[in-house]
Amino acid sequence: MLSILIPTYNAICTELVARIHAEATRLDIPFEILVADDGSRSEIDEINRHITTLSNCCYFPATENIGPARLRNRLADQAKYQYILFLDTDVLPVHPTFLADYLQEAIQGGVVCGGFCYQRGKPSAQHALRYYYGIHVEEKTAAERNRHPYAQFISMSFLADRSVFKQVRFDEAMHIGYEDTYFGILLEQKHIPLHHIDNPVYHLSKEPSREYLRKIRNAIDILSRNIEKQRTHVRLLQWYTKLERCGLTGFVARIFQITQSAIEKNLTGEKPSLKLFAFYKLGYLCRIRRNSISE
């Protein structure tokens, strides 16, 4: 009935697997849990291998990093049951009926997204940006997400009929960043049903702000190389297109170059400005696009 697929990279997922395994066992349903590693450090790989002591659990190690899009596609190919539940490794279910709630809402030939949220608390200064951005921008109710369901697709936690992956795949050219957005675009183009429900996982990420900014820049680098695929669906690209039409991308790029250090100081501090963060992403995109055009 249910294949639970967890791609992991440099993260210990034994607690997540144990919780999911316990509920699946209580439900008394046919299930499998497949964990695929993406070239983690040896000490983390050694810990994650312990999940194979649980029934119906498999662990697939890797010697190289191939990226989340390719890893998810490989896991989907190996799944044997009708429904596939993808979970990121840095999550934990909020409710004890997590699997049951998903299965109750399963759509034959379609996709269901449960959403995610963040545990409240005061973050340390070095983790503040990820925390506040998650709570104020990313965290949304099902009602909010269902207003524009395909634009709100996130692969952190979703249930899909396995047949969906015969029509839609994660774009491996994206590698890291915005591959979720493009997957949502493809679902919409193929007219695959997508519904959002309130069945969240806690997103446990505690990325240091400097590391988070590095990942954002990498993601925008990839987005810039695939701009036409997502120009109409990514808000950052919509703002960039408006600047482009007004001939202002060069001006914004210069302002960004002048202010980048000062903005990064704010964003890596205790009280990061989300408005500055939005400008940071737009300014960085303008700069790299300008550089690529001039080369």
Side-chain angles (χ1 to χ4, degrees):
M1 173 180 279
L2 183 63
S3 295
I4 301 160
L5 311 180
I6 304 173
T8 184
Y9 175 64
N10 280 338
I12 296 171
C13 59
T14 50
E15 182 179 0
L16 170 61
V17 172
R19 289 199 191 188
I20 294 296
H21 183 272
E23 186 187 352
T25 301
R26 288 196 305 271
L27 290 173
D28 194 26
I29 58 173
F31 75 94
E32 62 178 352
I33 300 176
L34 309 181
V35 178
D37 181 76
D38 202 16
S40 298
R41 298 192 303 271
S42 59
E43 63 271 21
I44 292 177
D45 172 71
E46 186 67 27
I47 294 172
N48 283 334
R49 288 174 184 269
H50 291 164
I51 68 170
T52 58
T53 61
L54 299 173
S55 60
N56 305 320
C57 291
C58 296
Y59 179 74
F60 303 100
T63 56
E64 61 177 344
N65 181 263
I66 62 173
R70 188 176 302 174
L71 200 62
R72 290 192 184 107
N73 287 337
R74 287 187 180 181
L75 280 167
D77 290 339
Q78 294 175 29
K80 66 180 181 181
Y81 291 116
Q82 178 181 359
Y83 290 105
I84 293 173
L85 174 62
F86 267 103
L87 292 172
D88 279 2
T89 191
D90 57 350
V91 305
L92 283 176
V94 173
H95 304 302
T97 56
F98 178 71
L99 296 182
D101 293 345
Y102 254 134
L103 291 173
Q104 185 176 354
E105 299 289 340
I107 301 173
Q108 187 171 358
V111 175
V112 179
C113 292
F116 60 96
C117 60
Y118 291 82
Q119 296 172 315
R120 269 35 179 189
K122 183 173 176 57
S124 64
Q126 66 173 332
H127 301 114
L129 178 60
R130 190 70 188 88
Y131 175 80
Y132 289 119
Y133 184 76
I135 286 177
H136 294 296
V137 179
E138 295 180 317
E139 190 178 287
K140 292 181 173 68
T141 66
E144 291 173 312
R145 288 179 275 127
N146 277 318
R147 291 171 192 161
H148 304 284
Y150 295 97
Q152 296 296 325
F153 173 81
I154 295 290
S155 64
M156 187 183 298
S157 170
F158 74 99
L159 181 76
D161 190 310
R162 190 174 65 170
S163 64
V164 167
F165 281 86
K166 295 179 181 179
Q167 304 177 66
V168 176
R169 311 279 285 179
F170 283 98
D171 190 325
E172 297 178 5
M174 299 293 181
H175 186 62
I176 296 175
Y178 295 98
E179 71 270 16
D180 286 8
T181 305
Y182 192 56
F183 191 83
I185 293 171
L186 295 177
L187 291 175
E188 185 174 20
Q189 290 175 349
K190 296 290 185 179
H191 305 290
I192 293 171
L194 170 62
H195 183 62
H196 294 268
I197 63 174
D198 285 316
N199 187 28
V201 291
Y202 286 122
H203 188 203
L204 304 177
S205 175
K206 292 185 177 181
E207 279 184 307
S209 298
R210 291 192 182 279
E211 175 63 16
Y212 183 47
L213 287 177
R214 184 190 67 80
K215 287 187 177 181
I216 289 294
R217 292 193 299 271
N218 287 345
I220 294 173
D221 286 339
I222 295 169
L223 180 66
S224 178
R225 295 195 294 270
N226 295 274
I227 197 167
E228 296 307 325
K229 289 182 178 180
Q230 305 190 54
R231 185 184 286 272
T232 59
H233 287 72
V234 176
R235 183 174 297 180
L236 176 61
L237 294 182
Q238 292 169 359
W239 279 105
Y240 176 80
T241 299
K242 290 178 181 179
L243 292 176
E244 194 175 37
R245 288 171 179 168
C246 297
L248 293 174
T249 56
F251 173 75
V252 172
R254 288 191 294 273
I255 295 297
F256 174 76
Q257 187 171 357
I258 294 168
T259 61
Q260 181 177 358
S261 296
I263 295 174
E264 288 179 352
K265 184 176 180 179
N266 171 272
L267 296 180
T268 56
E270 188 175 355
K271 296 181 179 180
S273 166
L274 296 183
K275 290 182 179 180
L276 280 179
F277 188 37
F279 174 77
Y280 183 87
K281 290 186 285 187
L282 181 60
Y284 181 74
L285 177 60
C286 288
R287 193 186 76 182
I288 62 173
R289 290 290 295 174
R290 184 187 181 198
N291 291 343
S292 65
I293 292 171
S294 62
E295 289 177 355

